[in-house]
Each structure stands twice: as structure tokens, then as C-alpha cells.
Amino acid sequence: EPEVTQTPSHQVTQMGQEVILRCVPISNHLYFYWYRQILGQKVEFLVSFYNNEISEKSEIFDDQFSVERPDGSNFTLKIRSTKLEDSAMYFCASSARTTNEQFFGPGTRLTVL
Amino acid sequence: AQSVTQLDSHVSVSEGTPVLLRCNYSSSYSPSLFWYVQHPNKGLQLLLKYTSAATLVKGINGFEAEFKKSETSFHLTKPSAHMSDAAEYFCVVSSPPHSGGYQKVTFGTGTKLQVIP
């Protein structure tokens, strides 16, 4: 069964460094999403992406964040200058237009020291 | 607009007894509803989903949920809890695809299930 994959599973970085979290969505999906879950809190929507453009973003998704689909398979989330409060689990998801279901990846745990 | 409320942040049951995790939703659309489970330091695993077919939905590991439109509820149940069920459970509501094609997904705050031996 096709699935969304994410790399790395765990990323540790120093405050102020740039990080790129990678996702490979399901191959025939066209809509891509990033979510964040701070430890002990609920999953929060960050951004949705379609046709090489951001469709919607939350107030969390400020200028420090960017997303890109650099090739036909990867979908990336970049955080330019990480802060301590960026420490969280980041989930990627993808969906097909014809369904109401988003398929989630296993997540990348980002730890900012 | 849509929202989801999980009424209990923590539920504690004895092994072998029934589980009930409550979820209420609101949506301007005909929503799709999902339950996900998250074990400690793990990702999200889909337990079951309701997408306007049968109102009683069966999922993995013996879980099921019933969509009740009149009560705007989608409670998760299991007849007999197992130690391996101890985890956090998230109720999720999803809108139909927008005109732009993407869905709006909203997570509940989660319910931590503790299973006592």
C-alpha cells in the first residue's frame, strides 16, 4: 500500500541553524500539507500546497518557514533560523482531489538546542 | 468553519473493560471524520474513518465508531481494552475538498488512554 515517507526521523540542530525536513508524498497525490505537534499538545496545521503554490497557511507559518516541491517526488519544509520553540514533531500529509482523506507520514522529530 | 472537541483529556480503564472516547464536531459541510492513534514517540496511525457511507465504522484493533449527525458526535469504542491500547487518540474532522481542491483538517486536542492491568 502506498504511503507517505519522511526523512529524517529525528533531527537535532542548534538554535539559529537552517533545517530542511523532507517528505515523499504518495505518487499520484496533488495536495500536500505540513503539520506540527509540540510535545504534549495537539496537531496544528501549518500549510497546504498545490500546483507549486501555497493554498493556505496558518499564523504559525511565518516568514521563517517555506515549502517547496523541488522535483516530482519530494516536498520540503524549510525553517530558516530555528528557535527553541520550533522543537516539535512535524508531519507531512498528502491527498488526492477526489477523497476527503489525508495520508500522514510518520513524522520528523525536530529538536532545537 | 469546523471544529472538533474531545471531551476527555485522559481516560483510564481496566484491562478487559470497555473503552469510550468521546468526540463532538461542528462543520458547515458534510464532514469526513477520522480517529488516529499515536503511541509514545510514534507517528499517527489511522484507526478508522467515516466518509458518508455506513454510520457505524469498524477500524483496526477492534475499535469502532458511530457517526451520529443529530448529536454531532463520533465517539470511539472498543468492547475490551488491551494493554497495547494505551496511547493518545485524536479525533479529526475534514472538510470536503475546497474549490482549490485541498481539504481543511482540524485535530482535536487528544485523549490519553491509560489501561490498568
Side-chain angles (χ1 to χ4, degrees):
Chain A
E1 188 174 331
E3 57 183 18
V4 177
T5 59
Q6 290 184 243
T7 54
S9 57
H10 192 185
Q11 171 101 38
V12 181
T13 190
Q14 295 290 328
M15 189 170 58
Q17 295 296 304
E18 174 183 285
V19 294
I20 297 176
L21 309 183
R22 290 184 167 77
C23 168
V24 179
I26 292 173
S27 63
N28 63 343
H29 285 183
L30 300 176
Y31 302 89
F32 314 114
Y33 313 83
W34 282 102
Y35 295 83
R36 178 182 83 175
Q37 184 187 29
I38 294 172
L39 186 65
Q41 298 184 25
K42 73 171 184 177
V43 179
E44 302 170 289
F45 168 76
L46 289 178
V47 66
S48 59
F49 189 86
Y50 167 70
N51 199 25
N52 283 320
E53 288 183 348
I54 290 174
S55 309
E56 186 174 352
K57 60 183 181 179
S58 72
E59 57 192 25
I60 302 168
F61 193 89
D62 62 21
D63 292 344
Q64 292 283 73
F65 291 90
S66 62
V67 288
E68 193 179 28
R69 188 144 160 86
D71 54 44
S73 60
N74 289 285
F75 178 51
T76 61
L77 174 70
K78 184 194 291 186
I79 308 175
R80 288 192 183 84
S81 178
T82 50
K83 308 185 192 84
L84 295 176
E85 54 264 36
D86 293 326
S87 294
M89 181 78 95
Y90 289 81
F91 292 104
C92 172
S94 69
S95 68
R97 186 187 179 96
T98 55
T99 73
N100 283 11
E101 182 179 354
Q102 293 181 18
F103 292 80
F104 286 85
T108 293
R109 180 168 298 285
L110 176 66
T111 302
V112 182
L113 301 176
Chain B
Q2 62 188 26
S3 67
V4 59
T5 302
Q6 290 184 244
L7 297 152
D8 306 296
S9 59
H10 287 83
V11 168
S12 186
V13 301
S14 296
E15 190 177 17
T17 64
V19 175
L20 169 64
L21 305 183
R22 297 183 293 168
C23 172
N24 286 91
Y25 71 92
S26 71
S27 176
S28 306
Y29 313 97
S30 296
S32 295
L33 294 154
F34 307 83
W35 277 99
Y36 287 87
V37 61
Q38 185 181 34
H39 288 91
N41 298 311
K42 300 289 185 186
L44 297 165
Q45 182 183 18
L46 179 66
L47 272 182
L48 49 79
K49 61 183 177 183
Y50 166 77
T51 54
S52 76
T55 55
L56 182 62
V57 182
K58 292 188 187 301
I60 61 171
N61 301 335
F63 284 94
E64 61 182 41
E66 186 170 7
F67 174 71
K68 291 187 177 179
K69 187 174 180 179
S70 60
E71 298 177 10
T72 61
S73 69
F74 190 59
H75 301 333
L76 182 70
T77 60
K78 182 172 180 177
S80 175
H82 193 271
M83 293 300 295
S84 61
D85 295 328
E88 187 154 22
Y89 293 78
F90 292 95
C91 183
V92 175
V93 61
S94 173
S95 67
H98 286 236
S99 58
Y102 63 91
Q103 293 100 23
K104 180 84 174 181
V105 162
T106 304
F107 279 75
T109 50
T111 298
K112 283 198 171 76
L113 177 65
Q114 180 187 20
V115 182
I116 303 165

